[in-house]
Amino acid sequence: MHVVIMGCGRVGSTLAHSLESRGHSVAVIDQDPDAFRRLGPDFAGTTVTGAGFDGEVLRQAGIERADAFAAVSSGDNSNIISARLARETFGVSRVAARIYDQRRAQVYERLGIPTVATVRWTADRMLRHLVPEGNVEIFRDPTSTVSIVEVPVHKDWVGRPVRALEGATGARVAYLLRFGIGTLPTPSSVIQEGDQLFMLVTDDMAATVTSVAATPPQGGL
């Protein structure tokens, strides 16, 4: 893949290195040429100085052959304008934008631009660690029917099979985090202390799933 990134701050430079390490070609755009120092001497991709919403700058970065575009500058307006330009003018199929204002993020999602609402995501994650109750939505499908939520489980579920929790809640465990690493559950997976479980739910079942998971399991294994 060829990926164009607008913004060479900490996120953009980290993303560029991650993509390059996976064998993708990368072009990074930033209005400040000094920002490219974050990429370091080992970066083999292209750097283009200019605004990411300038068509000519995008062309210099290879937008016409790009498979993906990421707008991660510090400005919401710049990010969304460049993301829409990449998708609607240049036909890039995979486009995502970082947005600080969560209200704007919801609007742009409806326009078909996937967004990462940085402030809301960080606040939700902090809240999840500080007050482990209820659930935090991680993903919602484009039809707004199915979501993935992090579901805290009662301590008595530790040592029980994942399939037992699925049977009790009627929901599927999409994945779990164990020691900070995402893991897909198998039929033999057992819940361990410290696991973070993420379940697929619909809105009408979310409250029940949360309630069942937060109480001790009934019966045997």
Side-chain angles (χ1 to χ4, degrees):
M1 291 176 60
H2 177 62
V3 183
V4 177
I5 300 172
M6 187 192 81
C8 195
R10 285 172 292 183
V11 173
S13 58
T14 300
L15 180 59
H17 282 298
S18 296
L19 288 165
E20 196 172 62
S21 70
R22 287 166 170 77
H24 303 296
S25 66
V26 182
V28 183
I29 300 170
D30 201 287
Q31 297 188 73
D32 180 5
D34 289 338
F36 300 129
R37 291 184 297 180
R38 293 189 176 92
L39 295 170
D42 297 329
F43 180 66
T46 303
T47 58
V48 180
T49 302
F53 45 83
D54 183 317
E56 183 54 38
V57 170
L58 288 169
R59 289 187 181 89
Q60 291 178 37
I63 194 68
E64 292 172 316
R65 62 183 176 88
D67 302 286
F69 178 81
V72 292
S73 76
S74 59
D76 283 5
N77 290 336
S78 297
N79 286 343
I80 199 59
I81 291 172
S82 62
R84 294 192 66 180
L85 187 61
R87 166 164 289 181
E88 298 168 12
T89 300
F90 294 101
V92 181
S93 58
R94 297 173 182 264
V95 175
R98 179 175 67 173
I99 301 296
Y100 287 94
D101 187 337
Q102 67 184 44
R103 293 168 298 181
R104 289 184 177 184
Q106 295 170 356
V107 173
Y108 299 143
E109 286 280 3
R110 289 195 288 269
L111 293 174
I113 303 294
T115 61
V116 177
T118 307
V119 174
R120 179 180 179 182
W121 187 89
T122 303
D124 283 346
R125 297 302 301 163
M126 290 298 292
L127 179 64
R128 187 70 199 88
H129 289 295
L130 296 173
V131 187
E133 60 185 23
N135 59 54
V136 175
E137 185 175 298
I138 305 300
F139 164 84
R140 181 171 289 271
D141 84 295
T143 67
S144 197
T145 303
V146 178
S147 61
I148 297 178
V149 296
E150 182 179 354
V151 179
V153 298
H154 191 277
K155 60 182 179 62
D156 288 355
W157 282 102
V158 172
R160 302 286 182 119
V162 168
R163 67 177 184 274
L165 178 64
E166 292 179 331
T169 60
R172 181 69 60 84
V173 175
Y175 68 98
L176 58 87
L177 282 181
R178 180 170 293 166
F179 305 119
I181 299 175
T183 302
L184 294 176
T186 67
S188 61
S189 294
V190 173
I191 300 171
Q192 296 183 14
E193 185 174 0
D195 283 354
Q196 294 173 259
L197 275 71
F198 299 83
M199 305 188 75
L200 285 162
V201 301
T202 55
D203 289 344
D204 60 348
M205 66 188 299
T208 299
V209 170
T210 300
S211 176
V212 171
T215 56
Q218 302 297 313
L221 293 176

